[in-house]
Amino acid sequence: PRAWLREHSRSLAAPALAAAVIAASIAWSWVEYWGTPALALGGWALLAAKTCVAAAQACAGLMWIPMTRGLVARVRATRLRRAFDCDAAINCHAWLAGIGAAAGLAHGAFVTVAALVWAAKPEGEQARLGAPAPLSLGALAASRAFVTGLALVLLMAATFPFAMAWPRRAAWLAGTRAGRALNAFPNFWAAHHALLIAFPALLLAHAWPPIPTSGLLAGAAATPLQRALGRANKTAILLLPPLALYALDRCLRAWRSRSSAAPRVLSARLFPGGVLELVLSKPRGFKYSPGQYVHVACPALSPCEWHPFTLTSAPGDPHLALAIKAAGDWTAALLALVGEAGEVYGGRLVP
């Protein structure tokens, strides 16, 4: 076991940290609702719904961290790289998004069951258990929580197929118009950025009490700790700090990519076998180690697409060199552009 732990410690550190945050979020919800009238009214389904949404809230905040490239680069440059596998950041993001989506769907199912259990109780029993007013399923269906929750489900259903391996890479879909659309990187980029804008707004709007539990937690049956936890917006606490860090990182990268210090293309040569050699100017103070990669964009093809390529130049060289093989739509278009013009102008690179 010790040898296995030593071998897999870097791949287990991030999942263990994420699991701890998810467990803390679930514990928050359990402490908030345990023994309250809301739990008596909604039954086990309400507790299951709160458990699922607690996991979804944690994942909704954590999934931004692996995509904050500046933070990942800082971790890679410190001793923390021994504990975290920075090369698996995208996989970590995908797993967190998948777990969060599954937990969110389960939350919706359990909330529906809890609402039915609650509404099925006679009005007298609801009042005896502490409900401020009888629960109306019609009012619940027209509530902001239901509308935003449904919008979140539809948004995920529309955008996730562009990121998931299935059915995007299914053999029966290959070669079809739908398959080409799902595998086109510009469509993936547009879908992800639509999710980037709409998801936080809908999630924060959804975070207000979907059923009248806040009033129940304010009663005498709730402890001071439960009332304090009930007043706090856990979604905002878990989501906004990582989201702000990610937004700051994106702004810094956009500024750096457009600054006068951004590398320029010195030469572009085509070799047999569909390989392009790009030689770029080296920014002052730029340091790297053999095997590291950079993200490259060509505004002539798309100003928004950035693709990672391994540096083939030595750290001591006065320039940066990349060897790019045509392996997709963007790289094939880049090689075609070089073949037509003989040289690429306006290429950008962000360290």
Side-chain angles (χ1 to χ4, degrees), residues 82-320:
R82 300 176 183 175
F84 295 97
D85 186 3
C86 296
D87 293 330
I90 294 179
N91 292 335
C92 184
H93 165 78
W95 275 104
L96 287 169
I99 294 172
L105 292 173
H107 163 72
F110 284 124
V111 162
T112 302
V113 174
L116 292 174
V117 170
W118 187 326
K121 289 181 169 61
E123 292 185 10
E125 185 178 357
Q126 292 188 37
R128 181 179 60 81
L129 291 173
L135 179 65
S136 169
L137 293 179
L140 180 61
S143 66
R144 175 174 52 185
F146 180 84
V147 172
T148 54
L150 181 61
L152 282 167
V153 171
L154 295 176
L155 183 65
M156 290 188 292
T159 56
F160 271 44
F162 293 96
M164 298 174 65
W166 190 92
R168 185 168 57 88
R169 297 178 182 173
W172 56 269
L173 199 60
T176 65
R177 181 179 297 179
R180 289 191 294 270
L182 288 176
N183 286 281
F185 186 86
N187 295 340
F188 165 83
W189 187 92
H192 249 59
H193 281 73
L195 194 64
L196 166 67
I197 297 170
F199 176 78
L202 287 171
L203 191 61
L204 290 171
H206 182 76
W208 274 264
I211 51 179
T213 54
S214 58
L216 300 176
L217 291 179
T223 66
L225 176 60
Q226 287 176 321
R227 289 195 292 271
L229 294 177
R231 286 192 296 268
N233 191 328
K234 185 170 60 170
T235 299
I237 293 172
L238 293 173
L239 173 65
L240 291 182
L243 180 59
L245 185 64
Y246 173 80
L248 177 62
D249 179 71
R250 287 291 299 264
C251 292
L252 288 174
R253 285 194 280 124
W255 174 75
R256 292 170 63 189
S257 68
R258 289 163 174 78
S259 68
S260 59
R264 296 292 185 269
V265 176
L266 301 178
S267 67
R269 294 189 296 169
L270 289 173
F271 291 89
V275 176
L276 167 67
E277 181 196 55
L278 278 181
V279 179
L280 309 163
S281 61
K282 187 175 182 179
R284 181 180 301 176
F286 182 80
K287 297 179 181 179
Y288 64 96
S289 300
Q292 288 189 319
Y293 61 90
V294 292
H295 287 84
V296 176
C298 180
L301 299 178
S302 172
C304 302
E305 288 190 46
W306 295 83
H307 296 267
F309 296 100
T310 302
L311 288 162
T312 58
S313 53
D317 290 344
H319 59 268
L320 303 175

Side-chain angles (χ1 to χ4, degrees), residues 8-113:
H8 296 86
S9 59
R10 294 179 70 242
S11 59
L12 293 176
L17 184 59
V21 175
I22 293 172
S25 180
I26 292 173
W28 177 329
S29 292
W30 280 32
V31 170
E32 181 183 352
Y33 281 89
W34 195 262
T36 62
L39 193 59
L41 285 161
W44 64 268
L46 181 61
L47 186 62
K50 293 303 175 181
T51 300
C52 291
V53 76
Q57 288 168 329
C59 291
L62 290 172
M63 69 178 183
W64 302 97
I65 297 176
M67 301 311 295
T68 307
R69 292 182 193 166
L71 178 62
V72 174
R74 292 290 182 183
V75 171
R76 194 192 301 273
T78 66
R79 293 183 179 180
L80 287 173
R81 66 180 180 275
R82 300 176 183 175
F84 295 97
D85 186 3
C86 296
D87 293 330
I90 294 179
N91 292 335
C92 184
H93 165 78
W95 275 104
L96 287 169
I99 294 172
L105 292 173
H107 163 72
F110 284 124
V111 162
T112 302
V113 174

